[in-house]
Amino acid sequence: MKAAEARDVGRAAGTTLRQATRTVRGVHGMVSDAAYAAVTAALGPGVTQPIKTANDLVTAVTYGATGMGLDAASRIAGFATSLRLAHTGDRGPSVHDGRGAHRALAASVGLRGDAFAVSAPSLAPEMQVRAGQQRIELTREGLAHAYPDAGPDIAVYLHGLCQSERSWSLGAGDSPTHPERLAADLGLSPVLIRYNTGLRVSHNGAHLADLLDVLIEAWPVQVRRLVLVGFSMGGLVVHSALVAPAPAHGERTWTNLVSDTVTIGTPHHGSPMARGAQLAVERLSRDANGRRAIDLVRQRSAGIKDLTHGNVTDADWCGHDPDDGDDHRTHPAVPDGIRHHAIVGVISGHVDGAVARRVGDLLVPPRSAAHEALDAIPSRFLRERTAVVTGVHHLGMLSSSGVQDHLHRFLSPTAQPALTRAGRTGTN
């Protein structure tokens, strides 16, 4: 851990503990209010009100002091650790490169990454290419060293919420991961991306678009084909990048190279869990204790809020109350001349059963993962470019052989008609 990271860990932990204390106070207050209401109904307010007033005062002081104490202690510990690390030369590895620490960090970033970017910036990863547990510099020399067998066909992989690039090996064991199999069978050089999943999807989409400009320019050999693969939130980031505004100096250099996109378990129409969090905020924010009890949920990251309906552009959320649960999506059209594919997971063994339709992979229902057509809004995917894998849960899709088979089928050049590049025409 670096000195700056230790200091920021103290800050982030202090803020989180203070908010957790506020949540406990809110739950305590809700239970207390219910108990006093029952007693008041039996004995009258003249008996209970003085006791309740005194109790509320003691509760406020106790929880307030506890929250402030935990916050201060965490910040002091982080500051003291940073001084010690700086004194010894600050030679330790970054928390972003640690074998175990990055898992907790990835989860924390997913939950609070937008706040970290402001208050604890050393903990908020910039979008970056990763290989061999290290960040790769996007120079010709840096990429040539990291990819000695670099080929002209590239597959870029975007992980999901609260994850890192290492999530692509989750559950794989000794079997090849999705990127490894596609590299071995189809010659698609795997480029794994890490990003701050707590940021707005549209912000990460713009960051990805900028990164791909640099990546294509610096790739050791001339790029012939670019494939974009996104798991869960990563699929939204992929589609966001494709509609990101072009830079002021001209057009994107990479968009004409994209042959295919594949989204795996992506909540294109949002996630029921994210909508449940939104509903809880709306229902419990009607009084002071409810607002306290739901404080940690209210402070969830902007990235999680985007999963309520599947936002991909700034216009989908900009100008609206962050706690507004209504769907404001603008539904940008998918770019022409690119084959867009979706892989849908269902926990049951039957595609058309009630469980499959309602539960999906436990986090994303099929209609969302397939971007089912809405009124006047067509699906992003043709039926023949949508595949369903049965008997798999959401995270299980990262190691599913069925998902691997569909990736192989979708992306095999012999299985796809050639795209017409002139004028970006073709079938999507």
Side-chain angles (χ1 to χ4, degrees):
M1 181 181 293
K2 299 296 185 181
E5 293 169 353
R7 184 175 59 251
D8 282 350
V9 165
R11 291 173 178 169
T15 300
T16 301
L17 288 171
R18 188 177 69 250
Q19 290 172 336
T21 304
R22 178 179 169 85
T23 294
V24 174
R25 178 189 172 187
V27 173
H28 181 164
M30 293 172 69
V31 173
S32 176
D33 285 352
Y36 275 112
V39 175
T40 298
L43 302 180
V47 175
T48 60
Q49 190 58 46
I51 300 175
K52 185 178 185 306
T53 300
N55 178 75
D56 288 347
L57 178 59
V58 172
T59 298
V61 171
T62 301
Y63 280 109
T66 300
M68 291 177 62
L70 290 172
D71 189 358
S74 297
R75 291 171 183 265
I76 291 170
F79 182 70
T81 303
S82 71
L83 289 179
R84 179 175 58 81
L85 291 172
H87 180 71
T88 58
D90 205 17
R91 293 185 295 270
S94 168
V95 68
H96 296 285
D97 301 330
R99 288 185 175 273
H102 81 96
R103 295 185 180 91
L105 181 59
S108 300
V109 166
L111 296 172
R112 298 296 309 279
D114 52 343
F116 285 1
V118 176
S119 62
S122 70
L123 303 182
E126 296 178 353
M127 183 169 283
Q128 57 193 261
V129 174
R130 304 279 300 187
Q133 300 181 23
Q134 293 182 337
R135 179 175 183 170
I136 305 304
E137 294 299 325
L138 297 187
T139 63
R140 190 169 293 272
E141 295 76 14
L143 290 168
H145 178 74
Y147 300 95
D149 300 321
D153 300 336
I154 303 174
V156 175
Y157 297 87
L158 279 293
H159 57 77
L161 176 72
C162 295
Q163 294 182 337
S164 74
E165 77 288 347
R166 298 189 197 180
S167 299
W168 291 103
S169 61
L170 185 65
D174 296 330
S175 302
T177 64
H178 299 337
E180 290 169 346
R181 181 182 174 188
L182 294 179
D185 293 354
L186 305 182
L188 291 170
S189 297
V191 174
L192 275 59
I193 304 294
R194 180 183 294 187
Y195 66 102
N196 182 346
T197 59
L199 297 182
R200 286 285 181 184
V201 166
S202 57
H203 292 171
N204 278 321
H207 295 330
L208 177 60
D210 292 340
L211 182 146
L212 292 175
D213 276 336
V214 180
L215 176 74
I216 297 304
E217 182 67 25
W219 194 248
V221 299
Q222 184 173 355
V223 178
R224 177 177 59 194
R225 180 190 184 194
L226 180 61
V227 171
L228 305 177
V229 181
F231 172 70
S232 197
M233 175 187 277
L236 295 178
V237 175
V238 164
H239 280 267
S240 178
L242 289 170
V243 296
H249 59 269
E251 297 181 349
R252 298 286 185 190
T253 60
W254 56 271
T255 52
N256 287 334
L257 297 171
V258 180
S259 64
D260 301 83
T261 72
V262 186
T263 63
I264 305 170
T266 293
H268 295 283
H269 288 324
S271 165
M273 185 172 291
R275 286 193 288 274
Q278 178 64 44
L279 182 61
V281 170
E282 292 176 359
R283 294 285 177 85
L284 293 175
S285 295
R286 295 170 182 172
D287 60 61
N289 283 324
R291 287 191 292 275
R292 295 187 190 103
I294 208 69
D295 192 54
L296 285 175
V297 179
R298 290 179 63 247
Q299 299 298 326
R300 69 199 185 283
S301 69
I304 293 177
K305 292 177 181 178
D306 277 339
L307 297 183
T308 303
H309 296 292
N311 296 339
V312 295
T313 71
D314 286 351
D316 293 342
W317 57 268
C318 190
H320 303 290
D321 186 333
D323 290 324
D324 179 0
D326 293 337
D327 185 355
H328 300 288
R329 285 178 296 165
T330 56
H331 300 283
V334 294
D336 291 334
I338 300 174
R339 295 179 291 255
H340 299 285
H341 314 269
I343 300 179
V344 180
V346 294
I347 193 68
S348 68
H350 303 284
V351 175
D352 297 324
V355 173
R357 290 194 302 271
R358 295 176 182 176
V359 178
D361 62 15
L362 296 181
L363 291 182
V364 182
R367 65 176 299 274
S368 182
H371 194 260
E372 185 177 292
L374 304 174
D375 291 342
I377 304 297
S379 173
R380 292 175 186 156
F381 309 101
L382 299 178
R383 183 179 296 275
E384 60 269 26
R385 296 206 173 111
T386 301
V388 180
V389 179
T390 59
V392 62
H393 57 79
H394 191 67
L395 293 180
M397 299 181 77
L398 288 165
S399 58
S400 165
S401 60
V403 171
Q404 277 200 0
D405 291 342
H406 286 303
L407 283 168
H408 196 284
R409 176 172 64 88
F410 284 151
L411 300 178
S412 175
T414 59
Q416 301 292 351
L419 290 172
T420 302
R421 287 295 170 191
R424 295 299 293 152
T425 60
T427 302
N428 70 341

